[in-house]
Amino acid sequence: MSGRRIRCSWCGVQLTVPPRAQNIQCAVCKAVTQVQQHDRLLGQAQSSLHDATNKLKGFLNTVSSNINSMVAAVNSYPMQASSYGSYAQPARPISSLMPFSAKGKKRAVLCAVSYYGQRHRLKGTVNDVRCMKYFLVERMGFPNDSILLLSEEEPNPSLIPTKYNIRKALHWLVQGCQSGDSLVFHYSGHGSQQRDLNGDEIDGYDEMLLPVDHQIEGTILDDEINATIVKPLPSGAKLHAIIDACHSGTVLDLPFLCRMNSEGYYVWEDHGFLSSTYKGTSGGLAISFSACDDHQVSVDTMALSGNAVTGAMTYSFIQAAQKEPGLTYGRLLNSMSQIIRDAKAGTHLNGPISALLRKVLGTELSQVPQLSSSAKFDIYSKPLSL
């Protein structure tokens, strides 16, 4: 008989409880939840909810009676017509999806998934997002309090990169987005593929991100990512995604993919013609840098001082952007590819990723950075602007 499911008392992840178990440890945050106490608290909550419901019904009946009396009194009072006409009441503000509200014209979600205690653990993801945060704050002018960082090392349970929390973070990123806003989504973790079921993928596969609890809660598909952070983007707003994961070439499901050869010549491929659903924005511009093509895998590597594991794509992006401020998207792609080729060949480079040249975890660097966009443009005339 399969066990029932309860939520972790600390981080909220759903846990499957074996029969007759009294305690269970969460694989994500390692907290121990007492099953009997959980049942007792659930019963108390249900009883309290029942009492509160009865009180609320009585309160609403009283309020309804008072409102009816007020309406009758207002209708009987002689009033002059307003010369300004009627107007729609503004929508009431929704509650914040995260512990703090979005601030400023620049904001970012940085997500590191390390999969602690799991078979396919990654070692460099936290280094990736910490370095990306430093780059955005110190080099690109992002306010520190407008950057949301999710990792398994965060003490706040709502900042652990579970499927639920990543979804909340993506909604927070675009919440209230306006013209002139600049958004960044950086993800360092595992990516994968599955058979496309709605016929909108050229290669027949959907791409997806793997949250820390994907074995229980499932993955986040490219279709959902597109609908959440691409489609709502208004005119004048821009989104840059930096996805350091396997099979990530079209993980934002953007309509156009830039194909560049080793000489720097490029063409735009139309990836949106198969879809019956519009995959573009609401007037804004969305651009995604991916670690590799949909059929490729990415790697962790040694970087910085030679003893910090990082994603090769993350560091090639930061290195290229820092080395040549104001470079175009085409120049950035060329520089990133050159950095990875030099690392593969063992050529010496100066700068923070010089250790790439010495050691690559015994894995050949065959990945090629990819660029996709919601609209075609001349990549050699448009400068990078985060």
Side-chain angles (χ1 to χ4, degrees), residues 44-83:
Q44 292 175 352
Q46 291 174 337
S47 177
S48 299
L49 180 61
H50 179 73
D51 293 341
T53 300
N54 290 333
K55 292 180 180 179
L56 180 60
K57 288 180 179 178
F59 173 74
L60 291 177
N61 289 335
T62 301
V63 170
S64 177
S65 176
N66 292 337
I67 290 176
N68 290 334
S69 299
M70 292 172 61
V71 169
V74 169
N75 289 337
S76 63
Y77 189 82
M79 299 181 65
Q80 293 181 346
S82 170
S83 61

Side-chain angles (χ1 to χ4, degrees), residues 22 47 68 93 103 174 234 238 246 267 269 278 300 305 373-374:
Q22 296 181 351
S47 177
N68 290 334
K103 298 179 181 179
V174 297
K238 56 189 174 184
C246 300
V267 294
E269 291 183 354
Y278 177 63
D300 278 344
S305 63
S373 176
S374 58

Side-chain angles (χ1 to χ4, degrees), residues 319-382:
Q319 170 78 357
Q322 286 189 142
K323 185 178 180 180
E324 190 179 339
L327 79 175
T328 64
Y329 287 92
R331 176 62 182 161
L332 176 60
L333 272 181
N334 285 327
S335 297
M336 292 171 63
S337 298
Q338 187 62 50
I339 288 169
I340 293 177
R341 285 196 298 267
D342 288 344
K344 180 180 176 181
T347 308
H348 179 70
L349 281 177
N350 294 319
I353 67 159
S354 58
L356 270 170
L357 315 175
R358 297 191 294 272
K359 194 172 184 181
V360 189
L361 295 180
T363 305
E364 183 181 4
L365 280 176
S366 60
Q367 65 189 81
V368 178
Q370 299 290 313
L371 182 144
S372 57
S373 176
S374 58
K376 294 186 286 186
F377 60 91
D378 182 0
I379 65 174
Y380 286 112
S381 63
K382 188 177 183 63

